[in-house]
Amino acid sequence: PSNAGYQFGAGDFTVEAWVYNNGMATSGTYFGVWTGTASTSSWVVTAGTADNTKLRFGSSNGTAMAYVESTTGAVPVGKWTHIAVVRTATYLSLFSNGICVSYTSLSTTLASPSTVLSIGAANAGSFGAMSVSNLRVVKGYANYINTQTAGTPVFTPQTTPDRKSTRLNSSH
């Protein structure tokens, strides 16, 4: 359900999960507080727009939406991948298996709509062929701090998720 714990505002946060890309469509949604409209969205983690193996983060300030996308394939098809999105101060890092795949400024105060946290789809028809496991949302704290640039190993996650995943696909 809608929860203040998913509303990050201008603060630090960490959102992470294990995902299994089973060949989803481009822009398939992993998870987020997102409807596709700036006034009712806050943040979302998706596959890339032109390449479903890229990692993408979308944010809304309540008026406009902005996106950050990895330049390389961060979520390969056919294997479990640990992904994390972290904001510390005014910097945003996207991680794939502990390696920074994008590092940029994000000083925007994220909108705080009363939208639910969605897993597998942010709006009608955007389900993807994927599995998601061990989703964790941490408000107010950056679990992984990147002081370098993209391509830098920052941490080493375990090699597989802890528990059985929930399968999400376009048949939902």
Side-chain angles (χ1 to χ4, degrees):
S2 176
N3 188 297
Y6 308 141
Q7 300 172 354
F8 303 138
D12 292 356
F13 65 85
T14 302
V15 181
E16 64 184 318
W18 283 91
V19 297
Y20 189 95
N21 178 350
N22 203 22
M24 77 173 106
T26 55
S27 294
T29 299
Y30 292 116
F31 43 83
V33 179
W34 200 257
T35 64
T37 303
S39 63
T40 57
S41 296
S42 184
W43 58 269
V44 68
V45 179
T46 73
T49 55
D51 178 348
N52 70 355
T53 68
K54 291 184 179 178
L55 182 59
R56 184 176 187 227
F57 178 77
S59 61
S60 172
N61 64 8
T63 304
M65 296 183 280
Y67 301 91
V68 175
E69 187 170 305
S70 66
T71 57
T72 61
V75 187
V77 174
K79 69 183 272 189
W80 282 104
T81 304
H82 179 269
I83 61 172
V85 178
V86 180
R87 176 167 66 185
T88 180
T90 59
Y91 292 97
L92 181 79
S93 298
L94 306 181
F95 295 99
S96 171
N97 289 329
I99 297 172
C100 181
V101 293
S102 184
Y103 181 72
T104 190
S105 174
L106 179 68
S107 57
T108 302
T109 297
L110 302 184
S112 296
S114 58
T115 302
V116 299
L117 173 69
S118 297
I119 302 172
N123 45 9
S126 66
F127 286 99
M130 73 182 89
S131 296
V132 175
S133 184
N134 302 97
L135 173 61
R136 181 166 74 152
V137 178
V138 180
K139 178 179 179 179
Y141 189 76
N143 284 358
Y144 314 110
I145 297 181
N146 182 19
T147 58
Q148 306 296 317
T149 58
T152 304
V154 175
F155 63 97
T156 304
Q158 61 190 46
T159 57
T160 58
D162 286 332
R163 302 185 187 227
K164 188 174 181 180
S165 68
T166 300
R167 176 98 171 126
L168 303 169
N169 60 43
S170 59
S171 64
H172 283 93

